[in-house]
Amino acid sequence: MDLQKRDSAGIVFYRRAPNELQLLVHPGGPYWRNRLEGAWQIPKGAIGSGEAPDAAALREVAEEVGIAVSGPLGPLGTIRQAGGKAFTAFAVEQEIDPASIVSNRFELAWPPLSGTCQSFPEIDAARWLALAEAREAILPSQRPLPTRLRAILGGRDREAGRPWPGRRPRAAHSCRTSPFRFTAHSARFRAARKLQHLRSG
């Protein structure tokens, strides 16, 4: 078995003004439809055979959410996810409008054993979250990454904004077909905003 094909790479997008926030996405499809806490994730995808993790992260982000990375990639290290898969994460400071994200789609036989194939977006919502919110909302196996980012950003603040020694992005090929664009009016986004309102109430 080619273990590299089981590994994945992704990017944590963050911003520091006016408040420090991190971007998480919600996976589409029927299995995730009614899950909110512990379901949101960092945009990521599988590393291809012979592909470098940073190149895979750029490609997958372009394909999954249609985002062109504009800054240097800062390494966040590798974590081990449920099932034993390794996930190599990077971080980049970039402003993104969640409503502008465009996701590609996948096909799934649904309902099971029905013989009917349906199309679902890989990502059906995206949100900027504060660190405390991200820890609750994110997939448990990815929970160390927001904390790692906070520790790194704290160090950078103390060093008076010294640039992150990351890698400059290389061009990523996007092969989206049948794109899905969601807005602030989508059902998943409304549910997420309702959950946020209840927490803050």
Side-chain angles (χ1 to χ4, degrees):
M1 179 183 294
D2 186 349
L3 293 180
Q4 188 180 36
K5 290 184 178 180
R6 299 180 62 238
D7 297 340
S8 60
I11 298 175
V12 181
F13 292 93
Y14 70 93
R15 67 187 191 194
R16 291 191 284 179
N19 300 306
E20 185 181 303
L21 300 171
Q22 299 169 43
L23 185 75
L24 295 181
V25 297
H26 189 276
Y31 296 114
W32 299 95
R33 182 172 294 151
N34 298 316
R35 294 183 58 184
L36 287 177
E37 289 193 17
W40 294 75
Q41 303 177 20
I42 293 162
K44 69 177 183 65
I47 300 174
S49 178
E51 188 176 27
D54 59 337
L58 291 169
R59 174 182 54 77
E60 286 292 337
V61 164
E63 292 177 4
E64 272 202 1
V65 291
I67 296 175
V69 178
S70 61
L73 298 182
L76 289 178
T78 300
I79 60 173
R80 189 68 60 177
Q81 297 199 113
K85 297 180 181 181
F87 173 31
T88 301
F90 302 89
V92 63
E93 186 172 9
Q94 184 168 332
E95 184 64 44
I96 296 168
D97 177 6
S100 70
I101 287 177
V102 179
S103 173
N104 59 355
R105 304 181 73 92
F106 67 95
E107 290 192 345
L108 178 69
W110 192 263
L113 306 179
S114 66
T116 301
C117 218
Q118 295 192 46
S119 175
F120 301 94
E122 288 197 15
I123 301 298
D124 64 12
R127 284 182 60 198
W128 286 106
L129 296 170
L131 177 60
E133 292 179 298
R135 283 174 175 157
E136 293 183 13
I138 200 169
L139 201 67
S141 60
Q142 295 181 10
R143 200 162 284 160
L145 296 175
T147 302
R148 289 186 187 181
L149 177 61
R150 173 83 284 275
I152 291 172
L153 292 181
R156 288 185 67 199
D157 291 341
R158 289 191 294 272
E159 294 171 6
R162 180 182 300 174
W164 198 325
R167 301 180 181 179
R168 283 287 171 184
R170 293 174 287 187
H173 174 67
S174 175
C175 56
R176 294 192 307 275
T177 58
S178 302
F180 168 81
R181 183 184 297 275
F182 59 86
T183 69
H185 300 291
S186 68
R188 177 61 56 189
F189 195 88
R190 291 199 306 270
R193 291 300 298 267
K194 182 178 180 181
L195 177 64
Q196 184 181 29
H197 176 72
L198 291 174
R199 286 179 177 166
S200 60

